[in-house]
Structure formats: structure tokens, C-alpha cells
Amino acid sequence: MTLSEEDYIKAIYHLSEFNSTSVATNAIAEQMQTKPSSVTDMVKKLSEKSLVNYKKYQGVSLSEKGRLVALSIIRKHRLWEVFLVDKLNFSWDEVHVVAEQLEHIKSDTLIDKLDAHLGYPKVDPHGDPIPNKDGVFTKSIKKLISELPVGSQGVCVGVNDSSAAFLKFLDKNKIALGDTFKILEIEEFDGSVTISTRSGSIRISKQIATNLYLDIVDEE
């Protein structure tokens, strides 16, 4: 497979991750920042390789073969992110672009050894699950802060926005994965939320609250 074909396979997987229906070629074009006609040409190539199911005007879906290829690429990407953060001291807002390049390395042996070297991590630095070599990963139940009522408490397990600007904001405010937060107050007027963190209480905007996931702690 070419690098471009792998990028398309991964994009289709992400677009269909929360939607069991076929993905429109226009949505793929927007994701890949290219023309719909270019997407159609690529999808036909992928269909010939039995990686996608495609019928004109009915959208695109990954075949089982294509799904496993996508999960393999995602596994490599997320393992490299862990390596860059844990072993080379990259910050979590820097790793995505570098991992985009490293994910195309073909050696399965290298990736298996990397996985073992890292201790078989379950999530990447952004809290996203890492598939194992068979394409299986554990899906945790997580909720956005904006969806939770006052008094909820949980561990920060992921971000919805992995842009460098947002991650730098979190670092600036000493908000990190693994931290325990409690929702103290929700402002009715603008939807901002006051939470307790390891460094004290902080008020975050509604925009931030819609981009932070918590694994909720049940209080009995």
C-alpha cells in the first residue's frame, strides 16, 4: 500500500468510527483536504484491493480487511506517540505530526518490539485506546465534562481536541491525563464550569468542557 492509500484508509475508519453507515465521498474529501473527484479515484483503487466497499452514490465503508489495516496504522501511530512522550520527552502537543510519519513504517517486528518495550500501553498520551496486534482494544466509557452535573468526579482520560493550541492551554493550566477532577459549579449563563484540580480550583469555559473526557467515579 502507498502512504496515500494508508492515509485514506485511516480517514475512512475515523469518519465511520461512531457511524455504522457508509461515509460520503464529500466527507472524505473534506477530511483529506482534497477534491471529491480525487477521492472517487482513490476509493476505486481501494475497492479493487478489497479494502473498501463502494457503490456510486451510496458512500464508502471499510471491508474487514480494510478495518484491520486501519487498526494496524492506528496502533503504530499511538504507540509511537507513547514512545515520543515517555522516552524522548516530547510534549503531548508535539507528537501527532511526528507520529503521522512514523505510522507508515512497515515492519511488524519493530512495532511488536516497540509495544513490548513500552510495556503494552493501553492508551496514547491523549487518552485514546491503542489496539493490540490483533486489532482489539478496550473501549472505556467516558463522558465530556460538559455532559456531567455538579458533584461528578472522575479521572481525566482523554481530549476531544488534540490541537497543539488546546494541549498547550492544558499544560499552562496544569491539567493532565490521569488527574482527578470534581465539578464544583456550572454557570448557567455561559456554561462555564468550575472544577477542582491537583493545583486548586479553576474555572474553564464551555468550549474547554466540551473537549475534556472524564472516566466517572461512582460514589456510593
Side-chain angles (χ1 to χ4, degrees):
M1 290 182 67
T2 66
L3 302 190
S4 181
E5 287 172 340
E6 289 188 348
D7 287 339
Y8 269 87
I9 288 291
K10 189 174 72 167
I12 294 168
Y13 177 86
H14 285 309
L15 287 168
S16 61
E17 192 172 4
F18 302 106
N19 189 346
S20 59
T21 61
S22 297
V23 178
T25 52
N26 283 341
I28 301 171
E30 183 177 350
Q31 178 82 3
M32 298 298 296
Q33 298 182 331
T34 189
K35 298 181 294 185
S37 58
S38 298
V39 172
T40 300
D41 291 341
M42 175 58 76
V43 164
K44 288 178 179 178
K45 292 179 183 178
L46 296 174
S47 180
E48 290 171 359
K49 294 185 176 184
S50 300
L51 293 165
V52 301
N53 305 305
Y54 171 65
K55 289 185 179 180
K56 195 173 183 179
Y57 306 123
Q58 293 185 27
V60 185
S61 62
L62 292 177
S63 64
E64 180 61 17
K65 178 181 176 182
R67 188 184 72 86
L68 291 174
V69 169
L71 288 170
S72 175
I73 298 166
I74 290 166
R75 176 184 180 227
K76 289 185 283 187
H77 181 103
R78 293 176 180 173
L79 284 173
W80 282 120
E81 287 193 334
V82 174
F83 176 79
L84 291 168
V85 170
D86 289 359
K87 304 301 181 182
L88 298 184
N89 298 316
F90 278 69
S91 62
W92 66 341
D93 59 281
E94 297 175 317
V95 294
H96 180 74
V97 174
V98 181
E100 285 280 318
Q101 302 169 47
L102 294 171
E103 70 185 25
H104 297 294
I105 292 174
K106 303 297 182 184
S107 173
D108 291 333
T109 301
L110 171 62
I111 300 305
D112 288 344
K113 287 183 177 294
L114 176 65
D115 197 4
H117 177 67
L118 295 171
Y120 304 102
K122 300 298 184 185
V123 295
D124 72 8
H126 308 109
D128 294 315
I130 301 174
N132 65 18
K133 64 186 301 181
D134 298 317
V136 177
F137 55 81
T138 303
K139 289 186 177 180
S140 62
I141 299 175
K142 54 187 182 181
K143 290 189 176 183
L144 294 167
I145 289 178
S146 58
E147 299 173 341
L148 297 168
V150 170
S152 299
Q153 181 171 312
V155 177
C156 184
V157 293
V159 294
N160 198 30
D161 178 358
S162 57
S163 67
F166 181 61
L167 298 179
K168 286 178 181 177
F169 172 86
L170 297 182
D171 282 339
K172 180 180 177 181
N173 287 278
K174 299 181 180 180
I175 295 174
L177 297 187
D179 287 350
T180 298
F181 300 153
K182 184 172 184 177
I183 299 176
L184 304 177
E185 182 184 5
I186 300 173
E187 178 57 54
E188 184 178 354
F189 174 69
D190 61 3
S192 58
V193 181
T194 301
I195 59 174
S196 63
T197 72
R198 56 193 165 105
S199 56
S201 63
I202 180 176
R203 180 177 289 276
I204 59 175
S205 68
K206 182 179 181 180
Q207 182 180 5
I208 296 166
T210 57
N211 280 298
L212 281 176
Y213 285 106
L214 296 188
D215 187 5
I216 302 307
V217 176
D218 290 328
E219 296 184 353
E220 298 181 354

